[in-house]
Amino acid sequence: MKTSLCILASSMLLATPAMAQSSQNNATTAAPNMQPAASTGSMHKEGEWRASKLVGVNVYNNSNEKIGDINDLILDSSGRVANVVIGVGGFLGMGEHNVAVTFDQLKFAKEPVKTVSSDGAGKTGNAGSTSTTGSASTSAHRSDNWYPDHVVLNANKDELKKMPEFKY
């Protein structure tokens, strides 16, 4: 009886790798028949931005005065951005006036806004500031390019407030 149990256990141990090997062969023969999914845009390209990152980007006029921020992007049926909704005025969303401008009216800037200090020297805003700790200097410039630093629109706040309000 002990002998028959030993023979049975040995044969089971020897048969297990053979079963596993045959199931692997079936899996590899089935894999070449599978078609890979079509890849149209698997990587981020220069000049492409995430829509979710554009919402909230500050909008400035040609005089580097903040006139609002991007609240929404309106797409046409082909998937292109038709209009950009800009929130003008207000405080913490209260009293804000939404206006729609065409996408081609906007100029996207990667560099921080230049501000003029009291001594007349041009300085960049806090997004491009440099801090020094001891003898090491570090720059706070963004290393990603998922969205622009700010947007420039050739208009002032008063002109935008006079535009018809965008209704959803």
Side-chain angles (χ1 to χ4, degrees):
M1 172 109 166
K2 288 183 183 181
T3 311
S4 61
L5 283 176
C6 287
I7 293 173
L8 180 64
S10 300
S11 64
M12 287 176 59
L13 288 174
L14 292 174
T16 303
M19 284 186 216
Q21 188 176 20
S22 64
S23 65
Q24 282 180 340
N25 287 342
N26 290 341
T28 57
T29 56
N33 296 334
M34 294 175 53
Q35 297 294 327
S39 176
T40 57
S42 61
M43 292 186 61
H44 172 260
K45 296 178 184 135
E46 183 69 29
E48 292 180 341
W49 299 306
R50 292 174 50 191
S52 61
K53 294 291 187 180
L54 285 176
V55 172
V57 170
N58 292 329
V59 179
Y60 291 85
N61 63 12
N62 290 332
S63 302
N64 289 338
E65 299 168 334
K66 183 178 176 192
I67 56 177
D69 58 353
I70 296 176
N71 284 348
D72 212 346
L73 302 171
I74 307 299
L75 306 178
D76 63 14
S77 60
S78 66
R80 292 189 183 114
V81 177
N83 291 308
V84 177
V85 179
I86 298 175
V88 182
F91 180 70
L92 297 175
M94 300 296 293
E96 189 172 55
H97 181 75
N98 286 329
V99 296
V101 297
T102 59
F103 190 73
D104 59 351
Q105 288 180 289
L106 303 175
K107 296 177 193 167
F108 295 93
K110 294 180 183 178
E111 297 298 318
V113 176
K114 301 279 186 188
T115 59
V116 179
S117 65
S118 61
D119 62 1
K123 295 181 180 178
T124 58
N126 61 357
S129 63
T130 304
S131 61
T132 306
T133 305
S135 61
S137 176
T138 60
S139 177
H141 285 287
R142 286 190 0 240
S143 62
D144 64 4
N145 53 358
W146 283 106
Y147 60 99
D149 182 76
H150 67 279
V151 177
V152 178
L153 176 65
N154 188 17
N156 61 33
K157 268 190 183 181
D158 294 331
E159 291 172 342
L160 292 176
K161 285 182 182 179
K162 290 178 185 175
M163 289 177 65
E165 185 171 6
F166 179 80
K167 300 279 186 187
Y168 288 98

